[in-house]
Amino acid sequence: DGLTEVLAHRGENLQDKFIEVPCSEDYDSHKRFEGCTPRKCGRGVTDAVITREEVERIRRIAERGLSLGGSDGGASILDLHSGALSLGKHFVNLYRYFGDKIQDIFTEEDFALYRDVRQRIQQRIAQAFGISSASMYLTKPTFFSRINSTGAKTTHDEYWHPHVDKVTYGSFDYTSLLYLSDYSEDFGGGRFIFMDAGSNKTIEPRAGRVSFFTSGSENLHRVEKVRWGTRYAITISFTCNPDHGIGDPVLM
């Protein structure tokens, strides 16, 4: 409850907005990597990483992939790295399940754009936190999400609980979200909320907007329930530990 402050309105076009917050102690219980493990913590928002045309192309990748499956509940995921795809109350491996047909759904250009955008986001995060982008590694889970107002059918559909990424996943050091649809135009609810002591700081999704933050308890957060429409986004996560790194997806 308490006070709510909007950090980024949907109607704004933000070049770079960055707010520094004190780091939590979460990083101390993991191996530290100098020049990467957060010593400066915070959260940023930018609308200057990806063009509107690129957003539409990336959203079409999500729509095509998710049209092959989809959760019975309101939250569906598509992970191009591991192949995980929501199907009913379970997940299937997209690459095994569809085999060679996958080439009819995605193109090399799709994957090249995905890689390019991921690299731009990585560079922007490195710049904001004063670290080398070469010291960061993509980690899992990194995935597309599609959320609508359908009620949850399994715990996987309950996306709205407050959580800390570093606690939930361990490997995360920096988390980013690329929004692929517009708050209040494509969907209602579904805003991203940082839950600070005594106040909430809210980000309204806008297609092409990237929000990013250090993954510890300094950035406890949740997503509001989507009330209507469909919200598309990509969660792209980075680790400082090369043992937890994953490669970019390749078209089989």
Side-chain angles (χ1 to χ4, degrees):
D1 296 291
L3 302 168
T4 296
E5 179 191 340
V6 179
L7 289 184
H9 290 273
R10 193 209 74 178
E12 290 178 285
N13 190 348
L14 298 166
Q15 279 302 304
D16 278 297
K17 183 170 190 170
F18 184 79
I19 294 145
E20 195 166 343
V21 297
C23 291
S24 65
E25 294 173 0
D26 294 347
Y27 308 99
D28 299 339
S29 56
H30 296 263
K31 186 176 174 187
R32 293 192 77 90
F33 292 84
E34 275 315 309
C36 181
T37 299
R39 292 205 177 274
K40 168 186 176 181
C41 292
R43 50 191 74 151
V45 188
T46 175
D47 294 314
V49 170
I50 174 172
T51 68
R52 208 70 188 186
E53 185 252 344
E54 287 171 328
V55 180
E56 281 166 21
R57 284 173 58 200
I58 287 201
R59 189 174 64 218
R60 286 200 291 272
I61 298 172
E63 288 169 345
R64 287 200 304 272
L66 284 159
S67 72
L68 301 172
S71 162
D72 289 343
S76 300
I77 74 150
L78 165 67
D79 181 334
L80 292 180
H81 303 266
S82 70
L85 171 71
S86 300
L87 188 66
K89 293 185 176 62
H90 307 283
F91 296 96
V92 293
N93 185 311
L94 180 75
Y95 302 120
R96 282 207 296 271
Y97 202 75
F98 294 98
D100 295 342
K101 292 200 191 106
I102 217 74
Q103 314 254 357
D104 303 331
I105 299 149
F106 304 120
T107 64
E108 289 290 359
E109 290 76 21
D110 291 336
F111 279 50
L113 175 63
Y114 180 92
R115 282 194 298 275
D116 182 34
V117 168
R118 189 274 299 165
Q119 282 162 354
R120 279 184 253 162
I121 291 170
Q122 184 165 342
Q123 283 157 359
R124 185 57 62 104
I125 294 172
Q127 198 182 343
F129 289 101
I131 61 175
S132 158
S133 71
S135 66
M136 300 162 66
Y137 301 88
L138 195 62
T139 193
K140 61 181 183 183
T142 282
F143 58 93
F144 287 99
S145 59
R146 181 186 71 194
I147 305 176
N148 60 33
S149 59
T150 309
K153 299 292 188 286
T154 72
T155 51
H156 295 298
D157 301 320
E158 296 181 16
Y159 57 85
W160 53 80
H161 299 295
H163 64 278
V164 172
D165 290 346
K166 187 79 185 156
V167 173
T168 306
Y169 300 111
S171 63
F172 283 31
D173 290 303
Y174 299 93
T175 307
S176 69
L177 290 139
L178 166 59
Y179 296 109
L180 303 174
S181 44
D182 291 304
Y183 168 72
S184 85
E185 191 172 305
D186 297 315
F187 61 91
R191 293 179 303 173
F192 185 96
I193 300 168
F194 290 109
M195 302 173 72
D196 295 342
S199 73
N200 287 335
K201 307 289 194 304
T202 301
I203 292 173
E204 297 178 353
R206 164 190 167 106
R209 172 165 288 167
V210 176
S211 73
F212 57 89
F213 49 94
T214 44
S215 307
S217 303
E218 66 279 1
N219 283 314
L220 172 70
H221 60 275
R222 70 182 184 88
V223 173
E224 289 178 324
K225 287 186 182 182
V226 170
R227 295 194 310 275
W228 57 267
T230 307
R231 176 193 193 269
Y232 283 95
I234 314 178
T235 298
I236 303 175
S237 37
F238 298 97
T239 183
C240 296
N241 187 338
D243 293 345
H244 293 141
I246 61 170
D248 281 309
V250 276
L251 201 53
M252 302 295 178

